[in-house]
Coordinates of all heavy atoms in Angstrom, one line a residue:
M1 N 58.9 106.9 87.3 CA 58.8 106.1 86.1 C 59.8 104.9 86.3 O 60.9 105.1 86.7 CB 59.1 106.9 84.9 CG 59.0 106.2 83.6 SD 57.4 105.7 83.1 CE 56.8 107.2 82.3
K2 N 59.3 103.7 86.0 CA 60.1 102.5 86.1 C 60.1 101.8 84.7 O 59.1 101.9 84.0 CB 59.5 101.5 87.1 CG 59.3 102.0 88.5 CD 60.6 101.9 89.2 CE 60.3 102.4 90.7 NZ 61.4 102.4 91.5
L3 N 61.3 101.3 84.4 CA 61.4 100.5 83.2 C 61.5 99.0 83.6 O 62.4 98.6 84.3 CB 62.6 100.9 82.4 CG 62.9 100.0 81.1 CD1 61.8 100.2 80.1 CD2 64.3 100.4 80.5
I4 N 60.6 98.2 83.1 CA 60.5 96.8 83.4 C 60.9 96.0 82.2 O 60.3 96.2 81.1 CB 59.1 96.3 83.9 CG1 58.8 97.1 85.2 CG2 59.1 94.9 84.2 CD1 57.3 97.0 85.6
I5 N 61.9 95.1 82.3 CA 62.3 94.3 81.2 C 62.1 92.9 81.5 O 62.6 92.4 82.6 CB 63.8 94.6 80.8 CG1 64.0 96.1 80.4 CG2 64.3 93.7 79.7 CD1 65.5 96.4 80.3
A6 N 61.5 92.1 80.7 CA 61.2 90.7 80.9 C 61.5 89.9 79.7 O 61.3 90.3 78.6 CB 59.7 90.5 81.3
Y7 N 62.1 88.7 79.9 CA 62.4 87.7 78.9 C 61.5 86.5 79.1 O 61.5 86.0 80.2 CB 63.9 87.3 78.9 CG 64.8 88.5 78.6 CD1 65.3 89.2 79.7 CD2 65.2 88.8 77.3 CE1 66.2 90.3 79.5 CE2 66.1 89.8 77.1 CZ 66.6 90.5 78.2 OH 67.5 91.6 77.9
F8 N 60.9 86.0 78.0 CA 60.1 84.8 78.2 C 59.9 84.1 76.8 O 60.4 84.7 75.8 CB 58.8 85.0 78.8 CG 58.0 86.2 78.3 CD1 57.1 86.0 77.2 CD2 58.1 87.5 78.8 CE1 56.4 87.1 76.7 CE2 57.4 88.5 78.3 CZ 56.6 88.3 77.2
R9 N 59.3 82.9 76.8 CA 59.1 82.2 75.5 C 58.0 82.9 74.7 O 57.1 83.5 75.2 CB 58.7 80.8 75.8 CG 59.8 80.0 76.5 CD 59.5 78.5 76.6 NE 58.2 78.3 77.2 CZ 58.0 78.0 78.5 NH1 59.0 77.9 79.3 NH2 56.8 77.8 78.9
P10 N 58.1 82.8 73.3 CA 57.2 83.5 72.5 C 55.7 83.1 72.7 O 54.8 83.9 72.5 CB 57.7 83.2 71.1 CG 59.1 82.8 71.2 CD 59.2 82.2 72.6
E11 N 55.5 81.8 73.0 CA 54.1 81.4 73.1 C 53.4 82.0 74.3 O 52.2 81.9 74.5 CB 54.0 79.9 73.1 CG 54.7 79.2 74.3 CD 56.2 78.8 73.9 OE1 56.7 79.2 72.9 OE2 56.8 78.1 74.7
Q12 N 54.1 82.6 75.2 CA 53.5 83.2 76.4 C 53.1 84.7 76.2 O 52.6 85.3 77.1 CB 54.5 83.1 77.6 CG 54.7 81.7 78.1 CD 55.8 81.7 79.2 OE1 56.7 82.5 79.2 NE2 55.6 80.8 80.1
L13 N 53.5 85.3 75.0 CA 53.3 86.7 74.8 C 51.8 87.1 74.9 O 51.5 88.1 75.5 CB 53.9 87.1 73.4 CG 53.7 88.5 73.0 CD1 54.4 89.4 74.0 CD2 54.3 88.8 71.6
N14 N 50.9 86.4 74.3 CA 49.5 86.8 74.3 C 49.0 86.8 75.7 O 48.2 87.7 76.1 CB 48.7 85.9 73.4 CG 48.9 86.2 72.0 OD1 49.2 87.3 71.6 ND2 48.7 85.2 71.1
A15 N 49.3 85.8 76.5 CA 48.8 85.8 77.9 C 49.4 86.9 78.7 O 48.7 87.6 79.5 CB 49.2 84.4 78.6
V16 N 50.7 87.3 78.5 CA 51.3 88.4 79.3 C 50.6 89.7 78.8 O 50.3 90.6 79.7 CB 52.8 88.4 79.0 CG1 53.4 89.7 79.6 CG2 53.5 87.2 79.7
K17 N 50.4 89.9 77.5 CA 49.8 91.1 77.1 C 48.4 91.3 77.7 O 48.0 92.4 78.1 CB 49.6 91.1 75.5 CG 50.9 91.4 74.8 CD 50.8 91.7 73.4 CE 49.8 90.8 72.7 NZ 49.7 91.0 71.2
Q18 N 47.6 90.2 77.7 CA 46.2 90.3 78.3 C 46.3 90.7 79.8 O 45.5 91.4 80.2 CB 45.5 89.0 78.1 CG 45.2 88.6 76.6 CD 44.4 89.7 76.0 OE1 43.5 90.3 76.5 NE2 44.7 90.0 74.7
Q19 N 47.2 90.1 80.5 CA 47.4 90.4 81.9 C 47.8 91.9 82.1 O 47.3 92.6 83.0 CB 48.4 89.5 82.6 CG 47.9 88.1 82.7 CD 46.7 88.0 83.6 OE1 46.7 88.6 84.7 NE2 45.8 87.1 83.2
L20 N 48.7 92.4 81.3 CA 49.1 93.8 81.3 C 47.9 94.7 81.0 O 47.7 95.8 81.7 CB 50.3 94.1 80.4 CG 51.6 93.5 80.9 CD1 52.7 93.7 79.8 CD2 52.1 94.3 82.1
Y21 N 47.1 94.4 80.0 CA 46.0 95.2 79.6 C 45.0 95.2 80.8 O 44.4 96.3 81.1 CB 45.3 94.6 78.4 CG 46.0 94.8 77.1 CD1 45.7 94.0 76.0 CD2 47.1 95.7 77.0 CE1 46.5 94.1 74.8 CE2 47.8 95.8 75.8 CZ 47.5 95.0 74.7 OH 48.2 95.1 73.6
A22 N 44.8 94.1 81.5 CA 43.9 94.0 82.6 C 44.4 94.9 83.8 O 43.6 95.4 84.6 CB 43.7 92.6 83.1
A23 N 45.7 95.0 83.9 CA 46.3 95.9 84.9 C 46.4 97.3 84.6 O 46.9 98.2 85.4 CB 47.7 95.3 85.3
G24 N 45.9 97.7 83.4 CA 45.9 99.1 83.0 C 47.2 99.5 82.3 O 47.5 100.7 82.2
V25 N 48.0 98.6 81.9 CA 49.3 99.0 81.2 C 49.2 98.7 79.7 O 48.9 97.5 79.3 CB 50.5 98.1 81.8 CG1 51.8 98.5 81.1 CG2 50.6 98.4 83.3
F26 N 49.3 99.7 78.9 CA 49.0 99.6 77.5 C 50.3 99.9 76.6 O 50.3 99.5 75.4 CB 47.9 100.5 77.0 CG 46.6 100.1 77.7 CD1 46.1 100.9 78.8 CD2 45.9 99.0 77.4 CE1 45.0 100.6 79.5 CE2 44.7 98.7 78.0 CZ 44.2 99.5 79.1
S27 N 51.3 100.5 77.1 CA 52.4 100.9 76.3 C 53.5 99.9 76.6 O 53.9 99.7 77.7 CB 52.9 102.3 76.6 OG 53.2 102.4 78.0
M28 N 54.0 99.3 75.5 CA 55.1 98.3 75.7 C 55.9 98.2 74.4 O 55.4 98.6 73.3 CB 54.5 96.9 76.0 CG 53.6 96.3 75.0 SD 52.8 94.8 75.6 CE 51.5 95.5 76.6
S29 N 57.1 97.6 74.5 CA 57.9 97.3 73.3 C 58.3 95.9 73.3 O 58.7 95.4 74.3 CB 59.1 98.2 73.3 OG 60.0 97.9 72.3
V30 N 58.1 95.2 72.2 CA 58.4 93.8 72.1 C 59.4 93.5 71.0 O 59.3 94.0 69.9 CB 57.1 93.0 71.8 CG1 57.4 91.5 71.6 CG2 56.0 93.2 72.8
T31 N 60.4 92.7 71.4 CA 61.5 92.4 70.5 C 61.7 90.9 70.5 O 61.8 90.2 71.5 CB 62.8 93.1 70.9 OG1 62.6 94.5 71.2 CG2 63.9 92.9 69.9
N32 N 61.9 90.3 69.3 CA 62.2 88.9 69.1 C 63.7 88.8 69.3 O 64.5 89.5 68.6 CB 61.8 88.3 67.8 CG 60.3 88.2 67.7 OD1 59.6 87.8 68.7 ND2 59.7 88.6 66.6
I33 N 64.2 87.9 70.1 CA 65.6 87.7 70.4 C 66.0 86.2 70.4 O 65.1 85.4 70.4 CB 66.1 88.4 71.7 CG1 65.3 87.7 72.9 CG2 65.8 89.9 71.7 CD1 65.9 88.2 74.2
L34 N 67.3 85.9 70.5 CA 67.8 84.6 70.7 C 68.5 84.6 72.0 O 69.2 85.5 72.4 CB 68.7 84.1 69.6 CG 68.1 84.0 68.2 CD1 69.2 83.7 67.2 CD2 67.1 82.9 68.2
G35 N 68.4 83.5 72.8 CA 69.1 83.4 74.0 C 69.0 82.0 74.6 O 68.3 81.1 74.0
S36 N 69.8 81.7 75.6 CA 69.7 80.4 76.3 C 69.4 80.7 77.8 O 69.9 81.7 78.4 CB 71.0 79.7 76.1 OG 72.1 80.4 76.8
G37 N 68.7 79.8 78.3 CA 68.3 79.9 79.7 C 68.3 78.5 80.4 O 69.2 77.7 80.1
R38 N 67.2 78.2 81.1 CA 67.2 76.9 81.8 C 67.0 75.8 80.8 O 67.4 74.6 81.1 CB 66.0 76.9 82.7 CG 66.1 77.8 83.9 CD 65.0 77.7 84.8 NE 64.7 79.0 85.4 CZ 63.6 79.4 85.9 NH1 62.6 78.6 85.9 NH2 63.5 80.5 86.5
Q39 N 66.5 76.0 79.6 CA 66.3 74.9 78.6 C 67.7 74.4 78.1 O 67.7 73.2 77.7 CB 65.5 75.4 77.4 CG 64.1 75.8 77.7 CD 64.0 77.2 78.1 OE1 64.9 78.0 78.0 NE2 62.8 77.6 78.6
K40 N 68.7 75.2 78.0 CA 70.0 74.8 77.6 C 70.1 74.3 76.2 O 71.1 73.7 75.8 CB 70.6 73.8 78.6 CG 70.7 74.3 80.0 CD 71.3 73.3 80.9 CE 71.2 73.7 82.3 NZ 71.6 72.7 83.3
G41 N 69.1 74.5 75.4 CA 69.2 74.1 74.0 C 68.9 72.6 73.8 O 68.5 71.9 74.7
F42 N 69.1 72.1 72.5 CA 68.8 70.7 72.2 C 69.7 70.4 71.0 O 70.4 71.2 70.4 CB 67.3 70.5 71.8 CG 66.8 71.4 70.7 CD1 66.8 71.0 69.4 CD2 66.3 72.7 71.0 CE1 66.4 71.9 68.4 CE2 65.9 73.5 70.0 CZ 65.9 73.1 68.7
T43 N 69.7 69.1 70.6 CA 70.5 68.6 69.5 C 69.6 68.1 68.5 O 68.6 67.4 68.8 CB 71.5 67.5 70.0 OG1 72.3 68.0 71.0 CG2 72.4 67.0 68.8
E44 N 69.8 68.4 67.2 CA 69.0 67.9 66.1 C 69.8 67.5 64.9 O 71.0 67.9 64.9 CB 67.9 68.9 65.7 CG 68.5 70.1 65.0 CD 67.4 71.1 64.6 OE1 66.3 71.0 65.1 OE2 67.7 71.9 63.7
Q45 N 69.3 66.7 64.1 CA 70.0 66.2 62.9 C 69.5 66.9 61.7 O 68.3 66.9 61.4 CB 69.8 64.7 62.7 CG 70.7 64.1 61.6 CD 70.7 62.6 61.6 OE1 70.0 62.0 62.5 NE2 71.4 62.0 60.7
Y46 N 70.3 67.6 60.9 CA 70.0 68.3 59.7 C 70.9 67.8 58.6 O 72.1 68.0 58.6 CB 70.1 69.8 59.9 CG 69.8 70.6 58.7 CD1 68.4 70.7 58.3 CD2 70.7 71.2 58.0 CE1 68.1 71.5 57.2 CE2 70.4 72.0 56.8 CZ 69.1 72.1 56.4 OH 68.8 72.8 55.3
R47 N 70.3 67.2 57.6 CA 71.0 66.6 56.4 C 72.1 65.7 56.8 O 73.2 65.8 56.3 CB 71.5 67.7 55.5 CG 70.4 68.5 54.8 CD 70.9 69.5 53.8 NE 69.8 70.2 53.2 CZ 69.9 71.1 52.2 NH1 71.1 71.4 51.8 NH2 68.8 71.6 51.7
G48 N 71.9 64.9 57.8 CA 72.8 63.9 58.2 C 73.9 64.4 59.2 O 74.8 63.7 59.6
V49 N 73.8 65.7 59.6 CA 74.8 66.3 60.4 C 74.1 66.7 61.8 O 73.1 67.3 61.8 CB 75.4 67.6 59.8 CG1 76.4 68.2 60.8 CG2 76.1 67.2 58.5
M50 N 74.7 66.3 62.9 CA 74.2 66.6 64.2 C 74.5 68.1 64.5 O 75.7 68.5 64.4 CB 74.8 65.7 65.3 CG 74.4 64.2 65.1 SD 72.6 64.0 65.1 CE 72.2 64.3 66.8
I51 N 73.5 68.8 64.8 CA 73.7 70.3 65.1 C 73.2 70.5 66.5 O 72.1 70.1 66.9 CB 72.9 71.1 64.1 CG1 73.4 70.9 62.7 CG2 73.0 72.6 64.5 CD1 72.5 71.6 61.7
E52 N 74.0 71.2 67.3 CA 73.6 71.6 68.7 C 73.0 73.0 68.6 O 73.7 74.0 68.2 CB 74.8 71.6 69.6 CG 74.4 71.9 71.0 CD 75.6 71.8 72.0 OE1 76.6 71.3 71.6 OE2 75.4 72.3 73.1
V53 N 71.7 73.1 69.0 CA 71.0 74.4 69.0 C 71.0 74.9 70.5 O 70.2 74.3 71.2 CB 69.6 74.3 68.4 CG1 68.9 75.6 68.4 CG2 69.7 73.7 67.0
N54 N 71.8 75.9 70.8 CA 71.8 76.3 72.2 C 71.3 77.8 72.3 O 71.3 78.3 73.4 CB 73.1 76.1 72.9 CG 74.2 76.7 72.1 OD1 74.0 77.3 71.0 ND2 75.5 76.4 72.5
L55 N 70.9 78.4 71.2 CA 70.3 79.7 71.3 C 68.8 79.5 70.8 O 68.6 79.2 69.7 CB 71.0 80.7 70.4 CG 72.4 81.1 70.9 CD1 73.0 82.1 69.9 CD2 72.3 81.8 72.2
L56 N 67.9 79.7 71.7 CA 66.5 79.5 71.5 C 65.7 80.8 71.3 O 66.2 81.8 71.7 CB 65.9 78.7 72.6 CG 66.5 77.4 72.9 CD1 65.9 76.7 74.2 CD2 66.5 76.4 71.8
K57 N 64.6 80.7 70.6 CA 63.8 82.0 70.4 C 63.2 82.4 71.7 O 62.7 81.6 72.5 CB 62.7 81.7 69.4 CG 63.2 81.4 68.0 CD 62.1 81.2 67.1 CE 62.6 80.9 65.7 NZ 61.6 80.6 64.7
K58 N 63.3 83.7 72.0 CA 62.8 84.3 73.2 C 62.1 85.7 72.8 O 62.3 86.1 71.6 CB 63.9 84.7 74.2 CG 64.7 83.5 74.6 CD 64.0 82.6 75.6 CE 64.9 81.5 76.0 NZ 64.3 80.6 76.9
V59 N 61.4 86.2 73.7 CA 60.8 87.5 73.5 C 61.3 88.5 74.6 O 61.3 88.1 75.8 CB 59.2 87.4 73.6 CG1 58.6 88.8 73.6 CG2 58.7 86.6 72.4
R60 N 61.7 89.7 74.3 CA 62.1 90.7 75.3 C 60.9 91.7 75.3 O 60.6 92.3 74.3 CB 63.4 91.3 74.9 CG 63.8 92.5 75.8 CD 65.0 93.2 75.3 NE 65.2 94.4 76.1 CZ 66.4 94.8 76.6 NH1 67.5 94.0 76.4 NH2 66.5 95.9 77.2
L61 N 60.4 91.9 76.5 CA 59.3 92.9 76.7 C 59.8 94.0 77.5 O 60.3 93.8 78.6 CB 58.1 92.2 77.3 CG 56.9 93.0 77.7 CD1 56.2 93.4 76.4 CD2 56.0 92.3 78.6
E62 N 59.6 95.2 77.0 CA 60.0 96.4 77.8 C 58.8 97.2 78.1 O 58.0 97.5 77.1 CB 61.0 97.3 77.0 CG 62.3 96.6 76.8 CD 63.3 97.4 76.0 OE1 63.0 98.6 75.7 OE2 64.3 96.8 75.5
V63 N 58.5 97.6 79.3 CA 57.4 98.3 79.7 C 57.8 99.5 80.6 O 58.5 99.3 81.6 CB 56.4 97.4 80.5 CG1 55.1 98.2 80.9 CG2 56.0 96.2 79.7
G64 N 57.4 100.7 80.2 CA 57.6 101.8 81.0 C 56.4 102.2 81.7 O 55.3 102.5 81.1
V65 N 56.4 102.2 83.0 CA 55.2 102.5 83.8 C 55.4 103.5 84.9 O 56.6 103.6 85.4 CB 54.6 101.2 84.5 CG1 54.2 100.2 83.4 CG2 55.7 100.5 85.4
P66 N 54.4 104.2 85.3 CA 54.6 105.1 86.5 C 54.9 104.3 87.8 O 54.6 103.1 87.8 CB 53.2 105.8 86.6 CG 52.5 105.5 85.4 CD 53.1 104.3 84.8
D67 N 55.5 104.9 88.8 CA 55.9 104.2 90.0 C 54.7 103.5 90.6 O 54.9 102.4 91.2 CB 56.5 105.2 91.0 CG 57.8 105.7 90.5 OD1 58.5 105.0 89.7 OD2 58.2 106.8 91.0
E68 N 53.5 104.1 90.6 CA 52.4 103.4 91.3 C 51.8 102.2 90.6 O 51.2 101.4 91.2 CB 51.2 104.4 91.5 CG 50.7 105.1 90.3 CD 51.4 106.3 89.8 OE1 52.4 106.7 90.5 OE2 50.9 106.9 88.8
K69 N 52.2 102.0 89.3 CA 51.7 100.8 88.6 C 52.8 99.8 88.4 O 52.5 98.7 87.8 CB 51.2 101.2 87.2 CG 49.9 101.9 87.2 CD 49.4 102.1 85.8 CE 48.0 102.7 85.8 NZ 47.4 102.7 84.4
A70 N 54.0 100.0 89.0 CA 55.1 99.1 88.8 C 54.8 97.7 89.4 O 55.1 96.7 88.7 CB 56.4 99.7 89.3
D71 N 54.3 97.7 90.6 CA 54.1 96.4 91.3 C 53.0 95.6 90.5 O 53.1 94.4 90.4 CB 53.7 96.6 92.7 CG 54.8 97.1 93.5 OD1 56.0 96.9 93.2 OD2 54.6 97.8 94.6
A72 N 52.0 96.3 90.0 CA 50.9 95.6 89.3 C 51.4 95.1 88.0 O 51.0 94.0 87.5 CB 49.7 96.6 89.0
A73 N 52.3 95.8 87.3 CA 52.9 95.3 86.0 C 53.8 94.1 86.2 O 53.7 93.2 85.5 CB 53.7 96.5 85.4
V74 N 54.6 94.1 87.3 CA 55.4 93.0 87.6 C 54.6 91.8 87.9 O 54.9 90.7 87.4 CB 56.4 93.3 88.7 CG1 57.1 92.1 89.2 CG2 57.4 94.4 88.3
A75 N 53.5 91.9 88.7 CA 52.7 90.8 89.0 C 52.0 90.3 87.8 O 51.8 89.1 87.6 CB 51.6 91.3 90.1
A76 N 51.6 91.2 86.9 CA 50.9 90.7 85.6 C 51.9 89.9 84.7 O 51.5 88.9 84.1 CB 50.4 91.9 84.9
I77 N 53.1 90.3 84.7 CA 54.1 89.6 83.9 C 54.5 88.3 84.5 O 54.6 87.2 83.8 CB 55.4 90.5 83.7 CG1 55.1 91.7 82.8 CG2 56.5 89.6 83.0 CD1 56.2 92.7 82.8
A78 N 54.6 88.2 85.8 CA 54.9 87.0 86.5 C 53.8 86.0 86.4 O 53.9 84.8 86.3 CB 55.3 87.3 87.9

C-alpha cells in the first residue's frame, strides 16, 4: 500500500479526479489549504491599503493505493 500526497491549484481538481477514475483509483481525500509555491503571491489594494498576499489557495489530495496501482496513480495526477 502506498500513500500519494499531491498539492495543486483548485481549478485542476476535476481534471485530476477524472484521470484517477480512468486509472481505476476511486478512494481519495481532498483538503483545501493555503500555501506558497512558484507563484510567490501577489500584491493587491484593499480599502486604500496595499496588501501582500503570499499564501494562495491550494488543494491537498491524498490517495491510498495498492503497490501495483501506484505508478498509474502518479501518472494520472501528473
Side-chain angles (χ1 to χ4, degrees):
M1 182 68 84
K2 302 277 184 183
L3 176 64
I4 301 168
I5 300 173
Y7 296 92
F8 49 87
R9 294 188 310 264
E11 61 268 13
Q12 296 176 325
L13 179 59
N14 285 334
V16 170
K17 284 193 319 185
Q18 294 302 320
Q19 291 295 318
L20 285 171
Y21 292 160
V25 178
F26 299 102
S27 59
M28 64 186 78
S29 177
V30 178
T31 309
N32 289 318
I33 61 169
L34 295 174
S36 66
R38 292 184 212 156
Q39 294 92 6
K40 299 179 186 170
F42 57 91
T43 304
E44 67 179 18
Q45 187 172 359
Y46 178 71
R47 294 187 177 181
V49 177
M50 295 301 289
I51 298 173
E52 182 178 347
V53 180
N54 51 6
L55 292 177
L56 305 174
K57 292 181 181 179
K58 305 282 183 184
V59 172
R60 176 183 168 135
L61 176 73
E62 297 178 9
V63 181
V65 294
D67 292 337
E68 59 272 4
K69 287 190 177 184
D71 292 333
V74 169
I77 292 170

